[in-house]
């Protein structure tokens, strides 16, 4: 890495890729993650981040079990304040939901409005969630359950898709969805 002192020279893609690379390599580098989080929370306009970059960033922090409250708050507010979530691909929605559910379960960082926004977006889709694969559907269901963000309308929609496409779902994926209903 060039230098943590020069984070201002990095693009949003660079910042998310750095976090992703360390997380993917299972390398917890607390000072790096702390500096990236502080830089983004203090100096970055999140409108410059593409949805994929935000989702990768938050996935990376949750993967290494680091949950900086200021970063999670800033990203949640940014997502909640968007007019809609068009541009967030299924994997990005899944990553965001998983990261925030893990933050909730680990350090009690709750963002119910973020989960409401994701649920409303998915519920507004009338294409049968064709772009979502079974892992994304079960991860979203599991994330909502873990975050105690129960939305019966969303559960019904995800369940209906799982039933319609049951041959695509593993028993593990189905179990994640069923846990939500408990």
């Amino acid at each position: 890495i060039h230098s943590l002192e020069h984070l201002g020279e990095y693009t949003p893609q660079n910042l998310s890729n750095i976090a992703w690379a360390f997380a993917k390599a299972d390398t917890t580098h607390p000072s790096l993650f702390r500096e990236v989080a502080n830089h983004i929370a203090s100096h970055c306009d999140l409108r410059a981040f593409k949805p994929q970059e935000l989702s990768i960033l938050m996935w990376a922090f949750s993967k290494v079990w680091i949950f900086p409250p200021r970063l999670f708050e800033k990203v949640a507010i940014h997502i909640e304040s968007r007019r809609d979530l068009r541009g967030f691909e299924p994997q990005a929605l899944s990553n965001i939901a998983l990261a925030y559910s893990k933050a909730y379960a680990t350090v009690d960082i709750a963002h119910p409005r973020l989960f409401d926004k994701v649920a409303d977006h998915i519920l507004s889709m009338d294409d049968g969630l064709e772009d979502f694969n079974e892992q994304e559907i079960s991860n979203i269901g599991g994330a909502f359950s873990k975050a105690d963000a129960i939305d019966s309308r969303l559960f019904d929609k995800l369940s209906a898709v799982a039933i319609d496409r049951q041959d695509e779902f593993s028993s593990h994926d189905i179990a994640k969805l069923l846990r939500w209903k408990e």
Side-chain angles (χ1 to χ4, degrees):
I1 293 178
H2 178 63
S3 171
L4 292 179
E5 296 170 4
H6 299 285
L7 285 177
E9 297 173 15
Y10 289 86
T11 67
Q13 182 179 9
N14 296 147
L15 293 169
S16 64
N17 285 348
I18 289 167
W20 175 85
F22 276 86
K24 188 72 175 164
D26 285 326
T27 304
T28 302
H29 195 305
S31 62
L32 171 101
F33 279 91
R34 186 175 47 255
E35 289 299 319
V36 169
N38 288 338
H39 173 74
I40 292 170
S42 300
H43 304 292
C44 289
D45 180 351
L46 294 183
R47 292 175 297 185
F49 284 76
K50 294 176 183 168
Q52 171 128 0
E53 294 162 351
L54 283 176
S55 78
I56 288 170
L57 181 73
M58 302 316 288
W59 173 87
F61 275 87
S62 71
K63 173 90 164 72
V64 297
W65 298 91
I66 297 175
F67 306 99
R70 287 180 52 225
L71 175 65
F72 272 74
E73 180 75 15
K74 184 173 182 170
V75 172
I77 289 170
H78 170 73
I79 292 171
E80 294 161 7
S81 69
R82 291 176 59 105
R83 189 175 76 239
D84 60 52
L85 296 182
R86 275 186 262 148
F88 280 82
E89 298 293 330
Q91 184 179 16
L93 293 169
S94 176
N95 285 348
I96 293 287
L98 284 170
Y100 278 87
S101 70
K102 201 169 172 183
Y104 174 76
T106 306
V107 292
D108 203 27
I109 295 176
H111 289 284
R113 288 190 313 261
L114 177 130
F115 283 94
D116 291 344
K117 187 78 169 192
V118 171
D120 289 344
H121 177 71
I122 293 171
L123 289 166
S124 74
M125 301 172 133
D126 56 4
D127 64 356
L129 304 183
E130 292 172 5
D131 291 339
F132 287 72
N133 66 35
E134 66 281 356
Q135 183 179 4
E136 292 156 349
I137 290 169
S138 64
N139 283 350
I140 289 169
F144 271 71
S145 177
K146 185 182 261 188
D148 290 331
I150 305 304
D151 184 316
S152 61
R153 300 166 307 141
L154 180 62
F155 176 79
D156 290 346
K157 184 167 189 164
L158 296 176
S159 297
V161 171
I163 290 167
D164 288 345
R165 295 169 34 193
Q166 60 187 299
D167 56 319
E168 299 173 30
F169 281 75
S170 70
S171 58
H172 177 72
D173 293 331
I174 295 294
K176 273 199 257 184
L177 277 175
L178 292 176
R179 258 193 316 255
W180 188 4
K181 201 63 172 177
E182 293 175 351

